[in-house]
Amino acid sequence: MSRGFNKSFIWLWLFTVLCGGLGGCSRAQETRIIRIGHNQSVNHPIHIALTAFQDYIHEHLAGRYVVQVYPSELLGSQTDMVQLTQTGAIDFCVASNAILETFSKDYEIFNLPYLFASQDAYHHVMDDRDITGPIFDSTEKAGFTAVTWLDAGTRNFYTLNTPIQQPSDLKGMKIRVQQSPTNIEMMRLLGGSATPMGFGDVYTALQSGIIDGAENNEMALTDNGHGDVCKFYSYDMHQMIPDILIGNRALMEDMPKEVQKIFEEGFALVNQVEREEWVKAVEQAKQRAGKEQQVQFIYPDQRPFVEACLPLHDRVLEGNPGLQPIYDAIQKYNEAYPSSENAASKSALAETKIGGRP
Ligand code: GCU
């Protein structure tokens, strides 16, 4: 979906909402409509989980609250949706942790490449409120807070023509990254040329050859069609970047206590359903990409990638020393859950201390 279309749609939609708000006060007093936007398709685990939330709210608060879920960037790109959530034009949206660092520097920590030693370490860290709490609340002044996290797997490079076996293969290649300074710096360290853009623009950019590749989890190959044009997917496993469900702060603060409690149960349900669906969806995506899209999966030695990226840990911590205790707490989980289930990363983990500065 083009950005031009998105922008006009948002303005038209906001105009309609405002007019409806002014003209339809009596109805609005009875039932509060909760609008949630995200950028994935209706088959994606995020949409399935938000639909479960919609049902949960209906079951417990019917007549008082109605949840409407808008998929596929219908309400704009993630950055647009975060801004709409800040002002309260919409109530919730799902944003990648990557773009949230432009709203609060504290989010940089989860964007660090090779931060987590394994998927288990990643999940335990994200489930630990002592770690995530200060980060999730760091945008309160900006008008929103994070209410739960969602699994978005592991990010890997994929390209149109050239398999990425080592960082030097990225030299001279234009690789789409998310709009985050940490990601741009990561690409610089790896030797590629970072091309930041919104998720909805990536397919066209790949198809028209404006970029040579991108980086994402396996779902991007199938659900977003990137595997129709990119035939090489390299498991360098550079990042595990969570998606974050954020909500308008005023809305949540002004809710009666008993409603707040039900919403909180609903957020926990979103997390649970999304993670269960994620495991199935990512496995199906791998199968489909290999069989139907003829994507070749490559398992490079991760060590050169890790070595190139690790200086970024020091740089981020020097720039934001307040993150040091959080970083140290993450290392404890890395020690407790050192090995990855993924065979591709095991060899690298054995010899290089991923997730910690050597
Ligand atoms: C993943 C992630 C999205 C994000 C996208 C991207 O799909 O789940 O939240 O927008 O990557 O690369 O932009």
Side-chain angles (χ1 to χ4, degrees):
M1 187 171 306
S2 81
R3 284 185 67 78
F5 175 81
N6 276 339
K7 287 259 185 271
S8 351
F9 183 88
I10 292 166
W11 287 118
L12 179 67
W13 178 80
L14 278 177
F15 178 75
T16 314
V17 167
L18 284 176
C19 293
L22 295 174
C25 277
S26 58
R27 211 162 46 110
Q29 273 162 15
E30 285 159 23
T31 305
R32 173 70 161 81
I33 293 173
I34 300 290
R35 295 181 178 88
I36 311 182
H38 68 87
N39 69 356
Q40 306 287 0
S41 79
V42 292
N43 306 315
H44 194 278
I46 286 181
H47 190 78
I48 297 171
L50 291 173
T51 306
F53 179 73
Q54 182 177 45
D55 294 345
Y56 191 80
I57 297 299
H58 179 73
E59 197 182 313
H60 292 87
L61 294 168
R64 291 174 73 188
Y65 291 85
V66 172
V67 173
Q68 294 175 350
V69 183
Y70 294 86
S72 310
E73 294 198 1
L74 277 172
L75 303 184
S77 69
Q78 284 189 342
T79 305
D80 294 330
M81 286 190 284
V82 174
Q83 285 162 355
L84 292 173
T85 307
Q86 271 184 304
T87 61
I90 66 173
D91 303 293
F92 293 92
C93 73
V94 177
S96 170
N97 187 90
I99 65 142
L100 290 177
E101 77 173 41
T102 56
F103 295 86
S104 154
K105 259 176 91 65
D106 290 354
Y107 276 96
E108 280 176 352
I109 188 104
F110 300 133
N111 296 335
L112 284 175
Y114 301 107
L115 175 67
F116 300 112
S118 66
Q119 243 176 55
D120 278 346
Y122 163 51
H123 290 173
H124 279 88
V125 166
M126 294 312 299
D127 281 338
D128 185 339
R129 280 297 291 185
D130 288 342
I131 293 184
T132 59
I135 296 168
F136 283 6
D137 295 340
S138 66
T139 53
E140 280 181 354
K141 283 206 186 98
F144 68 89
T145 59
V147 296
T148 192
W149 70 280
L150 308 165
D151 200 353
T154 306
R155 297 182 78 94
N156 301 288
F157 290 110
Y158 51 93
T159 48
L160 297 170
N161 306 310
T162 316
I164 304 300
Q165 308 274 11
Q166 58 234 336
S168 56
D169 293 332
L170 289 162
K171 199 166 184 305
M173 289 181 89
K174 290 202 196 82
I175 304 288
R176 179 268 172 171
V177 294
Q178 292 173 286
Q179 294 128 310
S180 113
T182 306
N183 283 355
I184 294 169
E185 185 56 12
M186 175 188 77
M187 274 312 302
R188 197 188 63 78
L189 290 170
L190 286 168
S193 166
T195 309
M197 65 176 73
F199 194 38
D201 296 328
V202 182
Y203 180 82
T204 314
L206 285 169
Q207 207 196 24
S208 58
I210 290 173
I211 51 176
D212 303 297
E215 48 81 55
N216 213 319
N217 59 57
E218 299 87 335
M219 291 283 297
L221 298 173
T222 52
D223 217 36
N224 305 94
H226 299 180
D228 292 340
V229 277
C230 290
K231 299 300 169 192
F232 299 101
Y233 189 91
S234 287
Y235 277 110
D236 67 291
M237 305 187 78
H238 53 267
Q239 281 162 323
M240 297 179 197
I241 298 190
D243 282 327
I244 311 284
L245 178 61
I246 64 162
N248 177 264
R249 182 164 153 73
L251 164 84
M252 284 183 296
E253 279 181 354
D254 294 347
M255 276 175 185
K257 280 268 168 306
E258 81 282 2
V259 174
Q260 248 171 35
K261 185 174 168 286
I262 290 165
F263 268 70
E264 271 156 26
E265 289 163 7
F267 303 145
L269 182 70
V270 174
N271 175 279
Q272 185 204 324
V273 173
E274 197 272 347
R275 287 165 71 179
E276 283 164 13
E277 292 294 324
W278 180 262
V279 177
K280 291 183 265 169
V282 90
E283 196 43 50
Q284 280 165 11
K286 271 191 215 174
Q287 298 296 330
R288 236 195 88 203
K291 287 200 183 111
E292 292 172 27
Q293 296 174 308
Q294 280 82 46
V295 172
Q296 281 184 44
F297 291 101
I298 294 149
Y299 297 86
D301 178 3
Q302 286 179 39
R303 275 169 303 179
F305 293 89
V306 177
E307 276 155 21
C309 289
L310 279 184
L312 196 46
H313 291 210
D314 281 330
R315 229 165 282 165
V316 162
L317 292 170
E318 276 155 22
N320 189 351
L323 291 177
Q324 188 70 52
I326 295 176
Y327 185 84
D328 294 342
I330 294 173
Q331 301 318 313
K332 297 223 168 79
Y333 282 108
N334 282 341
E335 279 155 30
Y337 302 97
S339 67
S340 171
E341 305 79 1
N342 187 303
S345 65
K346 267 192 184 150
S347 57
L349 282 164
E351 297 183 41
T352 308
K353 198 175 170 230
I354 295 182
R357 289 173 290 168

